[in-house]
Amino acid sequence: MKKLIFAFATCALVFGTQLTNAQKSNDIVDVAVSVDDFSTLVTALKAADLVGALKGDGPFTVFAPVNSGFAKIDTETLNALLKPENKEKLAAILTYHVVSGELMAADVAAALNKGNGKAELTTLNGGKLTAMKKDDGIYLKDANGNWSKISKTDVVASNGVIHIIEDVVMPN
């Protein structure tokens, strides 16, 4: 398990983002807006009317999918989710990517160590995500059995932390 903690900590150091004091004063939404690869996420947050919530005090841990993760969703389905009449469904999907509290990479590694390579996370929508050591990294397993790799950790914001994931995770 020490190797697991070391691997996750190394991942955080190698792939982590160096932040200036100005960046640390930005909230989660400000950070997301500043990253081109989160443009679809930002569009979805606006469509679901969640910008205000994620600008709140927090702290929050956000598992943020990059644009290529959203691109794996059928275009017709994604466009339908962005329509006003599907705001509630979209909000449920997006809040499935958020955990209350600030879980840094070291916290996740400790939970994985304690849980023999597995840790269950309760999301803001009440669903469960399972963090697991798998193959070449740490992954999230969603309620449907799909996997998303955590590709970058510990992007710190004033009201929490963002961990970048490669795919959108979906609740039941």
Side-chain angles (χ1 to χ4, degrees):
M1 280 299 141
K2 287 183 182 179
K3 287 182 182 179
L4 177 63
I5 292 171
F6 178 76
F8 203 70
T10 301
C11 178
L13 288 174
V14 172
F15 296 108
T17 302
Q18 292 183 341
L19 299 171
T20 65
N21 287 335
Q23 288 171 304
K24 288 182 184 177
S25 68
N26 290 334
D27 61 43
I28 287 171
V29 174
D30 295 334
V31 172
V33 167
S34 74
V35 177
D36 290 341
D37 210 14
F38 288 152
S39 62
T40 306
L41 175 61
V42 171
T43 297
L45 289 171
K46 289 176 182 175
D49 199 23
L50 291 174
V51 170
L54 288 177
K55 282 185 148 302
D57 291 339
F60 305 106
T61 298
V62 177
F63 295 98
V66 291
N67 290 344
S68 60
F70 280 100
K72 294 175 187 174
I73 298 173
D74 174 79
T75 305
E76 188 175 311
T77 301
L78 183 58
N79 288 337
L81 284 170
L82 294 172
K83 291 183 178 179
E85 60 267 23
N86 294 317
K87 179 175 149 180
E88 214 171 280
K89 186 173 184 174
L90 180 60
I93 292 168
L94 293 173
T95 56
Y96 189 64
H97 290 78
V98 183
V99 175
S100 182
E102 186 176 80
L103 296 173
M104 302 300 286
D107 300 321
V108 176
L112 289 170
N113 185 34
K114 184 177 179 183
N116 294 317
K118 194 181 340 186
E120 193 170 86
L121 307 170
T122 301
T123 67
L124 285 188
N125 84 349
K128 304 286 185 194
L129 281 172
T130 304
M132 296 180 76
K133 171 75 174 141
K134 180 177 178 266
D135 301 328
D136 59 340
I138 306 299
Y139 287 76
L140 295 178
K141 183 177 178 185
D142 69 18
N144 302 301
N146 299 310
W147 298 91
S148 182
K149 184 176 185 180
I150 300 174
S151 59
K152 187 180 274 191
T153 61
D154 294 349
V155 179
V156 178
S158 62
N159 62 345
V161 63
I162 299 170
H163 301 297
I164 300 169
I165 60 175
E166 295 178 356
D167 297 282
V168 176
V169 290
M170 300 293 271
N172 277 332

